[in-house]
Structures are given as structure tokens and as C-alpha cells.
Amino acid sequence: MLKQLYIRNFTLIDTLDIHFNPGFSVITGETGAGKSIILGAINLLLGQRADVKSIKSNSSKCVIEAHFDISRYNMQDFFTENNIDFDDTDCILRRELNSSGKTRSFINDTPVALNLMRTLGQQLIDIHSQHQNLLLNEEDFQLNVVDIIAKDRELLIKYKEHFNAYKDAKKAVDRLCKEIEENKKNEDYIRFQLKELTEAELKDGMQEELERESEKLSHVEEIKTALYSAGTSLNSYESDNNVLDKVKEASRSIIGITSIYPEISSISDRLESCFIELKDISDEINSEADNIEFDPSRLEQINSQLDKIYSLEQKYHVSNIADLINIQNNLEKQISNIDNSDEELDKLKSEEARLLKECEAIASKLTEIRTKASKVIEQEMRNRLIPLGIPNVRFSIKIENKNISEDGHDRISFLFSANTSTPVQPVAQVASGGEIARVMLSLKAMISGAVKLPTIIFDEIDTGVSGKIAEKMGDIMQEMGKANRQVISITHLPQIAAKGTTHYKVFKEETEHGTSSRMLILSKDERTKEIAQMLSGSEISDAAINNAKELLKTL
């Protein structure tokens, strides 16, 4: 329930701080007094787009804040899920708009994204304005009404889960079909590429190994010369240059004195080790020199393989064999998909068909429940519309089959006729403005109990009606307000204004800062005068006062 509304620096409003009561309240005021401004401010709390022009002239910021009592509506989960402080007796929504165009949104003083405020706001207030009568022409609205009365929410959630799975399966089939089509278009080229890469017999590390071998074979003479020179230095046939003989000779000399000079024995051991190591090195050098030979045919073969690898890398825009192997693997998968595509496609189509069958089964249950609910709605609407001055009303709901979609396979149409001689047709096409207003009020009254919105605001829903019909519409809103619900009606009709338990008036006044809109709660006497003025115009007669008092007695 809306407890308090605070508005500052919004269009013509300097400051407005007004408290609201439970039950049925009415708001009256002359055209242009500012009723739509107040609604516009509330709409900002419901996530509507903000316009910097809404800020009052010469002000840098406007603020709209509303306090709600949500203690009857079990909303704690929303606050817990979004990490927002919870106070069920004082839930605060605030929106600020700066002259720079920047807006900020708060729930219980916690900054939030606008879409989160919109989500909460739509659970707190339903504003029915005149343009919402156009909803009668929208299939989604009509289907939603039926679903509310059918109380099929759990089944609808289950259906949507299955439908989403079916959509995913269908997308998988479509995606594979597209891939198959594209692959078949390119099959010859893919096979050519795969053959080219397969024949190259690519292996990890192959390129580096071939490059090393090519480098070695290209410098055989240089390598043999270096090895020969090193080997000759170590073990020359000329005794003066033989390093090994000299080390051996030095070792013998040291060994000869170890018995009389034991301190030198360690050097003797080291010399012996050096001789052994140098002898091994000499033998290995000689062996390497004998083994390495220039093989021009092998070098040509290696360079040919490398040229092929380099050419493939350039062709496929990669820099190493690993990337070429990845491309080869992908090509193999594509060929495998082409060769096995029919089997995979049959499997996916089978899954798609299974999920579609499940969706259709649940959709059929939805149709059954909606059909039963439609009969209830038809009778309820007749019961409500006859007292509202349409004695010969016929209201029926047509349910047609449509392609399966996210809400089932039912196409809903509300059909209406106000006369026995006129066939029923879509309500938005045949009902007058006044009749549409009565149809919408009846629908709202019927579904409001199921939806359990804390606050419902009717913005001139009485357009096109008057007299006894207006009084009956007032009775309906009064009845709605008694069912633990807050109903607020903005009206120009005294018959409806007299039904409210609380009466607010919106008016303009001139101040030293210019024109300003204000809103007040009327006392009993002020209310009598206001209703009398609505009855007779600017000149309030005694008869109008008496009529106003009579209307107020109906409370």
C-alpha cells in the first residue's frame, strides 16, 4: 500500500508531501491542475524514462520518493536476492534527476539499477490510464487475463522450461543443417586441403629437427675441418705437439716422486683423470670426424621437405607445424561431420521431435485449464457488465489453435456485443469508449484479487460514462478497496468522487515564484463543496450542495 508520496521540483510542483490511506480514495481537480504531473512522478518510480525538462525551472534536481507498506505481500525474497535491506512496513522507492540528465534510483536507500526498481515498482502499483484501454486489442493482454484466472502459473513455468529446451534443440538442428550445407559446398576443397596436409606427414618438432639436420649437412666441410684440427691437437703423430703424450709424461713424472713427496699425490690423481678424459674426448672427436659425411641427396630431400612445410605455413597463415596439425585435425572433423552428418542430424531431429511432443502435451493441458477459466470469465464479465448499463451484453472468449510458441498454442480473443442483434466481434473493434472503460474496469476488478497488487490507480477510467453507470463503477472500485487493497481513482465525475473514503484535490496556485501545483486532503465540508462544484460548475448553488450531501450519504 502506498503510504506517502514526496515530490520536489518536478514540473509545476515545488514540494508535495502527501499521505495516503487504505481503501478507496479519489483525486479530483480541474483539467490542467496537475493530476497528470503526479501520475508522471509515480511513473518515474516505476522505471519510466526521465526527461530533464521535468525538473522545475531554476532547480538543479528533482526528487520523487514513495513509502509503501508491503507487510501483507510476502516480498522478502526479492530484497534478500538483491541484497537490499528489508522493512515491510516502510519500503522506500526514490528517484533523483539532475539537470545534467543523470538519474539515480534507490530502494531503501540502496542504489539500484533502474530495471530493478521497475521490477519492484510493477509489483507495488498498477496504473491504469486511458491508453491502457488499447490493451484490449492485444492478444498477450487477453491471454494474461485468462492465465491469471486459470491460476496456471506453475504449469506455465514448466511449459516454458520445456519450450526453451525445444527451442535449443531446434537451433541445434538448424545449426547442423547449415554446417552440413556449407561443408558440402566446400567438400572437394576441404578434402584437397586434408590430402595436402596428410601427405606432408607432419609431426610435432619435425620442422626444428629438419632445420638442424639441414644446417649440419650444409656445413659438413667446416665441421670436419674443426674436428680434424681438434683431434690433431690432442693426439698428433709429432711428439712435440701431442697433448696426450705430454699429459701422460707429466703424470709419470709426478708419480715418480709421490713416495718421497706424498703431498703431491692428489695432483698425480688429477693428472691421471685428465689424461683419461682427454683420451675419451680425442676418441669421440675422431669417431665424429669419421661418421660425418656430405650427403647431397639427403640435403636435397631435407630442403625439399622444409620447402613444403614453409609453403604450407604461408598458405595457411601460420608459423609452425603445431598450427598446421591443428588445421589438419579440424579438416578431419569437418570430413567426419560430412561423412556422419546424416546420423548426427537424425539424432538431433529425434531429440527435437521428443521435446516438441512434450511441449504439445503440456500446451494441451494449458488449453484445457484456460478453456475452463474462460467459461468462468465469461460469466463473471456478464455479471459485472449488466449492472454497468449493458443489459444485453454478450461477452465470450474465443480460443484458437496457433503454432506452438513460448506461451502455448492458444490464440485468445475477447469477443463482445452490447446488443442482441449484433454478432460478437473483437471487443476493441466494436465497443464504444464508454463500453471499453466498463469492460476494462470489470476485468481489473476480476483479476485484482488474483494478482493481489497492493495499489491500483485508475486514471479517468470513467471516460464516456455518467449518471447511474458512473455510480456503479464507483461501487466496483469501492468494493475493490475493501478487499485489503488500496484503490485510487482520478476522476471528473461526482458520482465516483463521492464513493471514496478519502478525497484529495489537486489545484494550481500563483506564488511569488510562479504557478505551482498542490494537492490536499479535503475535510468533510471541503469535500461537499468540491462535489457540489463538480455537479454545478463554478457557481455552487444550494441545490448542488444538497445533491453533494446526498451523494456522500451513500458511503
Side-chain angles (χ1 to χ4, degrees):
M1 183 191 81
L2 176 63
K3 299 194 303 179
Q4 181 182 359
L5 179 64
Y6 173 80
I7 304 172
R8 178 163 59 86
N9 297 331
F10 184 70
T11 64
L12 295 179
I13 297 175
D14 292 317
T15 301
L16 172 67
D17 190 358
I18 195 83
H19 289 262
F20 289 88
N21 296 321
F24 178 43
S25 301
V26 295
I27 300 174
T28 62
E30 295 180 1
T31 300
K35 300 186 295 297
S36 61
I37 295 174
I38 294 169
L39 273 185
I42 295 174
N43 273 315
L44 285 180
L45 295 177
L46 302 185
Q48 194 175 77
R49 181 178 176 274
D51 188 343
V52 70
K53 295 178 182 177
S54 300
I55 301 176
K56 189 173 176 62
S57 299
N58 301 319
S59 300
S60 60
K61 181 173 77 171
C62 76
V63 177
I64 297 98
E65 181 175 292
H67 295 248
F68 295 87
D69 181 343
I70 57 174
S71 55
R72 293 194 185 101
Y73 298 97
N74 300 319
M75 292 185 175
Q76 185 165 0
D77 287 348
F78 173 88
F79 294 84
T80 302
E81 290 168 5
N82 293 287
N83 198 26
I84 299 172
D85 291 340
F86 179 66
D87 183 346
D88 60 355
T89 60
D90 191 23
C91 174
I92 307 170
L93 272 64
R94 185 170 78 254
R95 185 119 180 246
E96 298 177 357
L97 173 61
N98 294 318
S99 55
S100 63
K102 181 180 178 181
T103 68
R104 296 196 299 167
S105 307
F106 301 86
I107 299 176
N108 291 343
D109 291 326
T110 300
V112 296
L114 184 58
N115 64 336
L116 192 63
M117 174 176 276
R118 182 183 299 115
T119 299
L120 178 59
Q122 289 173 350
Q123 296 178 58
L124 299 177
I125 299 181
D126 174 28
I127 297 180
H128 181 89
S129 57
Q130 292 184 51
H131 79 272
Q132 275 197 308
N133 290 335
L134 298 175
L135 290 173
L136 278 176
N137 200 32
E138 295 183 9
E139 181 187 336
D140 288 348
F141 171 76
Q142 298 175 28
L143 180 60
N144 188 46
V145 170
V146 173
D147 282 333
I148 289 172
I149 300 305
K151 298 180 180 178
D152 58 9
R153 184 173 179 273
E154 290 186 7
L155 185 61
L156 196 54
I157 290 173
K158 179 181 178 182
Y159 169 79
K160 287 181 177 180
E161 290 174 352
H162 282 73
F163 180 74
N164 288 333
Y166 160 70
K167 278 200 309 182
D168 290 341
K170 191 175 188 307
K171 286 178 182 177
V173 169
D174 293 342
R175 185 165 51 248
L176 182 57
C177 286
K178 187 175 180 180
E179 287 178 6
I180 291 171
E181 184 180 355
E182 289 296 319
N183 287 341
K184 285 187 175 180
K185 284 180 183 178
N186 302 317
E187 182 177 357
D188 290 342
Y189 183 57
I190 294 171
R191 290 189 185 277
F192 167 76
Q193 288 180 309
L194 180 58
K195 183 173 181 290
E196 182 179 50
L197 290 169
T198 303
E199 288 178 347
E201 298 180 344
L202 302 172
K203 298 176 182 177
D204 285 332
M206 176 181 179
Q207 180 176 345
E208 293 78 5
E209 184 179 340
L210 289 173
E211 285 173 342
R212 285 194 298 269
E213 189 174 358
S214 173
E215 183 74 9
K216 181 177 73 173
L217 290 175
S218 298
H219 297 83
V220 166
E221 292 301 324
E222 184 180 339
I223 294 169
K224 286 182 73 71
T225 299
L227 292 174
Y228 177 77
S229 176
T232 300
S233 297
L234 289 172
N235 196 12
S236 172
Y237 292 108
E238 299 177 7
S239 59
D240 291 341
N241 295 323
N242 193 316
V243 172
L244 286 173
D245 286 347
K246 291 183 179 295
V247 172
K248 186 65 174 175
E249 183 180 345
S251 177
R252 288 195 190 107
S253 298
I254 296 301
I255 290 172
I257 61 172
T258 54
S259 60
I260 57 175
Y261 186 36
E263 290 88 347
I264 202 72
S265 59
S266 63
I267 293 177
S268 174
D269 293 340
R270 289 164 63 190
L271 279 171
E272 183 65 21
S273 295
C274 285
F275 174 78
I276 294 170
E277 180 68 17
L278 287 171
K279 183 69 170 64
D280 286 344
I281 292 172
S282 175
D283 291 342
E284 286 187 26
I285 287 174
N286 291 332
S287 176
E288 288 292 332
D290 291 337
N291 290 335
I292 188 165
E293 296 290 343
F294 179 61
D295 187 347
S297 62
R298 176 58 181 164
L299 180 60
E300 184 179 355
Q301 180 187 5
I302 290 172
N303 287 337
S304 176
Q305 283 183 283
L306 285 172
D307 287 343
K308 192 169 189 178
I309 291 171
Y310 296 149
S311 176
L312 290 171
E313 288 175 346
Q314 185 176 15
K315 178 178 179 178
Y316 291 100
H317 307 289
V318 297
S319 60
N320 54 65
I321 280 185
D323 290 339
L324 286 176
I325 292 173
N326 286 335
I327 292 171
Q328 180 179 336
N329 292 337
N330 289 332
L331 291 172
E332 287 173 349
K333 288 179 182 178
Q334 290 182 54
I335 293 299
S336 177
N337 288 339
I338 292 171
D339 293 340
N340 301 293
S341 58
D342 290 342
E343 181 181 346
E344 180 65 18
L345 186 58
D346 288 343
K347 181 180 177 182
L348 289 179
K349 283 184 174 180
S350 175
E351 178 66 5
E352 178 189 3
R354 183 187 69 81
L355 291 170
L356 177 59
K357 187 175 181 180
E358 290 181 1
C359 282
E360 288 175 337
I362 302 174
S364 295
K365 291 181 182 178
L366 281 171
T367 301
E368 182 180 346
I369 295 173
R370 287 166 174 169
T371 301
K372 291 179 181 178
S374 295
K375 300 302 179 185
V376 174
I377 295 170
E378 289 172 350
Q379 185 59 50
E380 180 73 13
M381 289 298 288
R382 284 192 289 269
N383 293 341
R384 289 183 177 277
L385 289 170
I386 289 173
L388 289 176
I390 315 178
N392 298 315
V393 65
R394 282 178 292 159
F395 185 93
S396 63
I397 298 175
K398 183 179 181 182
I399 302 180
E400 297 177 295
N401 192 271
K402 68 177 182 180
N403 291 333
I404 198 160
S405 64
E406 62 182 10
D407 53 26
H409 55 45
D410 300 320
R411 178 176 288 108
I412 301 291
S413 300
F414 287 177
L415 305 179
F416 173 86
S417 174
N419 308 299
T420 55
S421 59
T422 305
V424 291
Q425 296 182 55
V427 61
Q429 297 178 19
V430 297
S432 66
E435 288 167 344
I436 285 178
R438 283 172 272 179
V439 168
M440 285 301 293
L441 177 60
S442 298
L443 286 172
K444 290 279 184 174
M446 180 178 59
I447 67 177
S448 62
V451 175
K452 298 188 181 302
L453 274 167
T455 300
I456 302 173
I457 300 176
F458 290 109
D459 181 17
E460 300 184 4
I461 196 172
D462 49 36
T463 300
V465 300
S466 59
K468 287 289 184 183
I469 304 305
E471 188 175 341
K472 291 291 184 183
M473 292 179 75
D475 288 338
I476 291 174
M477 286 184 274
Q478 191 178 59
E479 176 190 349
M480 292 171 66
K482 291 177 180 178
N484 290 326
R485 206 167 294 106
Q486 183 183 49
V487 179
I488 301 170
S489 176
I490 298 173
T491 181
H492 287 292
L493 299 181
Q495 294 88 346
I496 290 179
K499 298 289 183 180
T501 53
T502 307
H503 191 148
Y504 302 87
K505 181 176 181 178
V506 179
F507 59 95
K508 284 182 181 177
E509 67 177 7
E510 295 298 326
T511 69
E512 60 182 7
H513 300 295
T515 304
S516 179
S517 286
R518 297 186 63 198
M519 181 176 178
L520 295 175
I521 299 178
L522 299 183
S523 65
K524 184 177 180 181
D525 289 342
E526 289 170 335
R527 188 175 185 190
T528 302
K529 290 180 182 178
E530 174 69 8
I531 293 174
Q533 189 171 15
M534 295 172 73
L535 286 164
S536 64
S538 57
E539 295 294 331
I540 303 176
S541 63
D542 290 340
I545 291 290
N546 291 330
N547 285 340
K549 289 179 179 179
E550 286 298 318
L551 285 174
L552 288 169
K553 283 182 181 178
T554 60
L555 280 175

